[in-house]
Amino acid sequence: IRDLRMSRGLGDVYKRQDYIRSYIVTVDPREDGTADITYDIDWQVIDGDATDYLSWVKIGLANSSVDELTPLTDTISDLQYSSDGGSYAKVVFNRRYYAPDVAASNGGESSVHFVFSVHQSHLFTRNDDGTANFNFTPGWFDDLSVGNMQVRWRNYDGFVADNTGMDGDYLTWDFGAMGHGQAANCLLYTSPSP
């Protein structure tokens, strides 16, 4: 599966680069092979003037097989599926976010923390031997860098993965800082039944 790249809303013009301080994706598979995927993002506006603000973003999703989108923070005023140019969650914020100097002068804010979840299907490939492969690439940013990127996938008996660690019941992939256009990739498969 593959998440498409992410973009931010500034009308029709993308004039500057922002910074993602933290980007954590948590995957909780269901028994039917679908998954609840939670996106936890800390977004920092870097520059711009009073008319150049952040009011929404599009976050890439694995595919168009989405049947639930749930906002989990009060910073989100609207959350909808968008197929404009790919498969996205369009996240509309309850306020505008400005560059730090503009926010300091107008009493606004320059960073937003937001969390939402989606219920996603068609995430794996079934093999002839009954095993399944998951190839997950969370959305990446062509024009932004990420301070810390982590993927968490709830572990179940039979999962084999290229993860870098464990955190309780979760396999973890700690990618750290990610540059412009750099994508993370997670590989999992189920082991054959004895």
Side-chain angles (χ1 to χ4, degrees):
I1 59 177
R2 180 181 147 175
D3 274 8
L4 299 175
R5 68 188 176 104
M6 302 181 188
S7 63
R8 63 173 277 190
L10 288 174
D12 295 325
V13 181
Y14 186 82
K15 297 181 180 177
R16 65 173 185 269
Q17 297 175 358
D18 291 346
Y19 177 69
I20 308 304
R21 287 188 221 163
S22 175
Y23 176 30
I24 301 170
V25 179
T26 302
V27 182
D28 288 295
R30 295 184 184 183
E31 287 187 22
D32 63 3
T34 66
D36 297 301
I37 304 175
T38 303
Y39 295 83
D40 185 327
I41 300 170
D42 187 3
W43 193 296
Q44 173 68 53
V45 177
I46 292 180
D47 65 10
D49 59 31
T51 63
D52 186 23
Y53 51 82
L54 177 71
S55 61
W56 61 271
V57 293
K58 287 188 339 185
I59 306 299
L61 301 176
N63 58 48
S64 62
S65 298
V66 175
D67 63 6
E68 297 172 22
L69 290 105
T70 306
L72 299 174
T73 53
D74 63 5
T75 52
I76 299 173
S77 68
D78 191 32
L79 179 64
Q80 298 178 12
Y81 175 77
S82 171
S83 61
D84 183 24
S87 297
Y88 294 97
K90 183 176 181 182
V91 181
V92 179
F93 300 119
N94 65 5
R95 64 183 339 177
R96 296 173 177 172
Y97 296 91
Y98 301 89
D101 60 330
V102 175
S105 68
N106 71 10
E109 295 181 33
S110 62
S111 66
V112 57
H113 176 244
F114 59 101
V115 182
F116 67 92
S117 68
V118 300
H119 178 239
Q120 191 86 51
S121 59
H122 296 92
L123 296 174
F124 63 89
T125 302
R126 183 165 301 279
N127 302 313
D128 292 339
D129 64 358
T131 61
N133 294 342
F134 297 86
N135 186 353
F136 185 65
T137 303
W140 64 91
F141 301 90
D142 285 339
D143 299 315
L144 305 175
S145 59
V146 176
N148 184 54
M149 170 73 187
Q150 183 185 64
V151 176
R152 301 164 41 84
W153 193 292
R154 183 174 295 279
N155 191 24
Y156 291 105
D157 286 340
F159 274 153
V160 178
D162 66 344
N163 57 304
T164 59
M166 292 286 298
D167 182 13
D169 292 337
Y170 288 89
L171 303 167
T172 59
W173 289 259
D174 290 301
F175 296 99
M178 306 283 287
H180 296 201
Q182 189 176 2
N185 187 253
C186 306
L187 300 174
L188 295 94
Y189 59 93
T190 59
S191 56
S193 299

